[in-house]
Amino acid sequence: MSTIKLENAGFVYQKGMPDEKVAVSGVSLTFEEGDFIGIIGHTGSGKSTLIQMLNGLLRPTSGHVYIDGDDIWDDRSKLREKRFKVGLVLQYPEYQLFEETVRKDIAFGPKNLGLSEEEINSRVAEAADFLKIPEKLLDRSPFDLSGGEKRRAAIAGVLAMRPEVLVLDEPTAGLDPRGRREILDVISNYHKAEKKTIILVSHSMDDVARYASKVLVMNAGGVFYYDTVDEVFKHALELRETGLNIPTVTDILLTLKERGMDVDTDIYTPARAAQTVTQYFKEVEAR
Amino acid sequence: MRDITLGQYINGDSVIHRLDPRIRLILTLVYIILLFILKTIPQMLLALALILGAYALVRIPVKMLLKSLKPIIPIVVFTSVLNMFFVNGDVIFSFWKLSVTRQGLYYAVMLSLRVICLLAGSSLLTYTSTPIELTSALELLFMPLTKIGLPVNDLAMMMTIALRFIPTLLEETDKIMAAQKSRGANLDTGTFMERIRALTPILIPLFVSAFRRADELALAMECRCYNGGEGRTRMNALKIRRSDCIAVVVFIGFCSLIVLSGRISL
Ligand SMILES: Nc1ncnc2c1ncn2[C@@H]1O[C@H](COP(=O)(O)OP(=O)(O)OP(=O)(O)O)[C@@H](O)[C@H]1O
Ligand SMILES: [Mg+2]
């Protein structure tokens, strides 16, 4: 189990060059173990940059990143070890596939961990099972798969390493609704079954509202909100004002309120929304 | 990967940026020739001053120039040292079997200055010209060679495409490396053979995507009826303006002065 702590972390691309670009600045927060954290924010708000600092792919240009209390950049020789704790699935991870067969590709990570042959095989089988990759696909070339299958194979490659913290950068980008749901369910199951920390970057507030327990809202490289889902969506109006998506049901309730219906708006699940609306109508009828 | 500054365009709006790329290219060539004509250290220093002046015009931080000089420092030092010891002449001091001569020292300084100026000059060209500008300039300058059957248009198109994809491929390499490192790929340590093998997970996806891109690009070009560069017109036609002429006069003036200054001191 691992906690990740950021202390005043910032990252500047092309530092010192005329075209330097501040992507993240002054972020201090803790990702507690066992949480399911959703990260949202505009495109270019620094989400991908932030998560690449979590496993030492990017070295913060200011501040520190701690995993279980150790600054990951203190000892370069231990960096790789830290990387095994924090599994990162990058945006469009399909391009990481390279082996002759899907099976071998999923085994790449576990092999780097230095596991035994048997352990590797069982990890591959387990990860494939988790991601619902059928046995017959395992012996195909990863380049012959469909887009959605490639995506699942790539995620399986990280999952097979059984990271303490699983970080995913928009794992559902470019998939159809069914593909999205399948992948998110897999992640949610991993979270529940293994009690691991999940950090999920997403553009969909609905997905975040549905799966996450905490939400980090990023804006212009900084933290806008970082709190439980309930608390953050209490600020739905502010979120909407900054131009961010909010869960569809919250959006509907806010609009109803603006039109003069006195309904509760701190709601982000369809079930509760339906409840409030029916209750409202009952009250109206009673009057 | 992204720290490669050599050959990198820096966006700007300086006098030099606004020159016709053909002029920029030719003036750079003139400068390089100048460097090989000059015979004395004072002249070389003037040439250095000239290029530094140009850098000041473009407002490129000196730090950046120094960074692009870094990779050649070992070569400069190595050849300078060789020159110092192995050129015959008046001995300044000697130890063991080696002796440093005045002439050797002189050559060493000359050589270092020349290499530094050479790199600074050619970097300035690439800092201030986009690859597209450079290829257009080359295409136009070599156009007369179509008469002897050289497919200048096609070569220029190939070069443009190749240059266009360098940053894309670098970016892609970055991404692939990040993904494989996240899966525990060990790229930094190990024996030589291990390191070569560690490149497979990076090279294969890179080739796959490069071929895919090439396919897609070819298709896109065909869809737009591309059939060779013959008679293709440009969106931004290159035109020699007055400012270009002034730049040529000023620059050639400086160069002549530097060459002549050698005569005077002799
Ligand atoms: N390699 C890079 N070099 C220079 N600037 C970069 C680089 N990568 C990202 N940036 C810049 O840093 C900022 C943050 O980028 P980042 O990729 O972290 O955003 P993001 O929140 O992940 O966006 P998206 O939702 O589109 O994925 C952006 O303004 C971007 O232009
Ligand atoms: Mg991103």
Side-chain angles (χ1 to χ4, degrees), chain B residues 45-102:
Chain B
L45 286 174
L46 285 177
L48 183 65
L50 182 63
I51 198 71
L52 288 181
Y55 269 88
L57 271 181
V58 188
R59 297 224 180 75
I60 290 175
V62 180
K63 212 165 78 185
M64 213 159 149
L65 176 62
L66 291 180
K67 209 168 148 195
S68 67
L69 286 178
K70 223 194 262 164
I72 58 150
I73 289 175
I75 305 171
V76 172
V77 171
F78 182 69
T79 44
S80 304
V81 169
L82 277 188
N83 264 299
M84 238 152 66
F85 289 118
F86 295 106
V87 173
N88 294 325
D90 317 334
V91 175
I92 302 178
F93 66 90
S94 56
F95 58 90
W96 190 46
K97 278 180 193 160
L98 298 169
S99 51
V100 177
T101 63
R102 198 167 59 82

Side-chain angles (χ1 to χ4, degrees), chain A residues 14 16-18 55 57 80 83-84 88 90 95-98 105 108-109 112 143 157-158 161, chain B residues 2 5 10 61 63-64 67 175-176 178-186 200-201 204-205 208:
Chain A
Q14 268 99 34
M17 297 289 142
N55 77 339
L57 281 179
R80 196 155 161 250
R83 237 170 233 161
F84 291 141
L88 177 57
L90 290 155
Y95 54 72
Q96 73 183 32
L97 302 170
F98 73 99
D105 202 277
F108 180 66
N112 286 328
F143 300 108
V158 176
M161 298 173 73
Chain B
R2 281 157 181 282
T5 50
I10 297 175
K63 212 165 78 185
M64 213 159 149
K67 209 168 148 195
K175 275 205 221 155
I176 295 169
Q180 307 302 25
K181 274 195 209 157
S182 299
R183 293 207 279 167
N186 194 354
T200 328
I204 291 180
V208 168

Side-chain angles (χ1 to χ4, degrees), chain B residues 1-251:
Chain B
M1 270 295 154
R2 281 157 181 282
D3 294 338
I4 304 167
T5 50
L6 188 74
Q8 200 179 58
Y9 175 66
I10 297 175
N11 206 354
D13 190 31
S14 66
V15 189
I16 299 186
H17 277 94
R18 284 194 300 260
L19 288 182
D20 186 294
R22 280 171 294 179
I23 301 294
R24 241 179 276 146
L25 190 67
I26 293 173
L27 291 186
T28 308
L29 283 178
V30 170
Y31 183 71
I32 290 172
I33 294 169
L34 173 81
L35 291 178
F36 283 95
I37 296 176
L38 300 182
K39 290 280 184 302
T40 67
I41 289 182
Q43 282 178 306
M44 222 47 173
L45 286 174
L46 285 177
L48 183 65
L50 182 63
I51 198 71
L52 288 181
Y55 269 88
L57 271 181
V58 188
R59 297 224 180 75
I60 290 175
V62 180
K63 212 165 78 185
M64 213 159 149
L65 176 62
L66 291 180
K67 209 168 148 195
S68 67
L69 286 178
K70 223 194 262 164
I72 58 150
I73 289 175
I75 305 171
V76 172
V77 171
F78 182 69
T79 44
S80 304
V81 169
L82 277 188
N83 264 299
M84 238 152 66
F85 289 118
F86 295 106
V87 173
N88 294 325
D90 317 334
V91 175
I92 302 178
F93 66 90
S94 56
F95 58 90
W96 190 46
K97 278 180 193 160
L98 298 169
S99 51
V100 177
T101 63
R102 198 167 59 82
Q103 284 83 346
L105 205 59
Y106 202 86
Y107 273 128
V109 175
M110 266 310 262
L111 191 84
S112 319
L113 279 175
R114 185 171 285 154
V115 173
I116 288 169
C117 288
L118 210 59
L119 200 80
S122 43
S123 305
L124 186 63
L125 178 68
T126 51
Y127 282 151
T128 54
S129 320
T130 61
I132 304 291
E133 280 181 329
L134 278 184
T135 34
S136 314
L138 280 174
E139 185 179 359
L140 290 173
L141 289 173
F142 281 109
M143 206 46 104
L145 293 186
T146 37
K147 296 240 168 57
I148 60 164
L150 201 71
V152 175
N153 284 313
D154 290 337
L155 287 177
M157 179 51 94
M158 273 156 67
M159 196 165 144
T160 312
I161 292 174
L163 287 171
R164 155 69 186 76
F165 278 101
I166 289 174
T168 313
L169 287 181
L170 279 180
E171 197 176 306
E172 205 134 279
T173 315
D174 261 354
K175 275 205 221 155
I176 295 169
M177 276 170 78
Q180 307 302 25
K181 274 195 209 157
S182 299
R183 293 207 279 167
N186 194 354
L187 304 173
D188 311 318
T189 55
T191 64
F192 182 69
M193 278 318 282
E194 275 169 354
R195 281 196 202 199
I196 300 272
R197 209 157 324 132
L199 286 180
T200 328
I202 291 163
L203 290 181
I204 291 180
L206 194 62
F207 276 114
V208 168
S209 105
F211 281 119
R212 206 199 58 230
R213 274 177 202 285
D215 256 356
E216 284 169 1
L217 183 69
L219 198 65
M221 283 168 80
E222 267 173 36
C223 288
R224 292 175 204 178
C225 305
Y226 178 83
N227 52 6
E230 207 82 25
R232 193 165 65 101
T233 54
R234 279 159 210 288
M235 186 162 135
N236 301 312
L238 297 181
K239 226 170 89 192
I240 307 281
R241 279 174 306 217
R242 219 174 58 206
S243 54
D244 293 310
C245 301
I246 297 174
V248 170
V249 172
V250 171
F251 190 80

Side-chain angles (χ1 to χ4, degrees), chain A residues 207-266:
Chain A
D207 291 345
V208 170
R210 189 185 157 96
Y211 293 97
S213 55
K214 289 185 90 175
V215 188
L216 166 62
V217 185
M218 298 209 40
N219 196 15
V223 175
F224 196 54
Y225 289 116
Y226 178 47
D227 216 325
T228 57
V229 179
D230 289 287
E231 285 301 316
V232 169
F233 288 138
K234 274 188 190 152
H235 301 284
L237 212 52
E238 285 101 313
L239 289 175
R240 196 160 72 169
E241 268 159 21
T242 57
L244 282 165
N245 284 326
I246 53 176
T248 318
V249 286
T250 320
D251 200 27
I252 294 172
L253 291 175
L254 277 173
T255 312
L256 288 178
K257 188 158 194 165
E258 278 161 17
R259 299 265 173 96
M261 270 172 73
D262 185 24
V263 287
D264 215 352
T265 56
D266 303 343

Side-chain angles (χ1 to χ4, degrees), chain A residues 44 46-49 91 169-170 201 203:
Chain A
K47 306 181 294 291
S48 300
T49 310
Q91 221 160 351
D169 196 350
E170 293 188 45
V201 176
H203 270 288

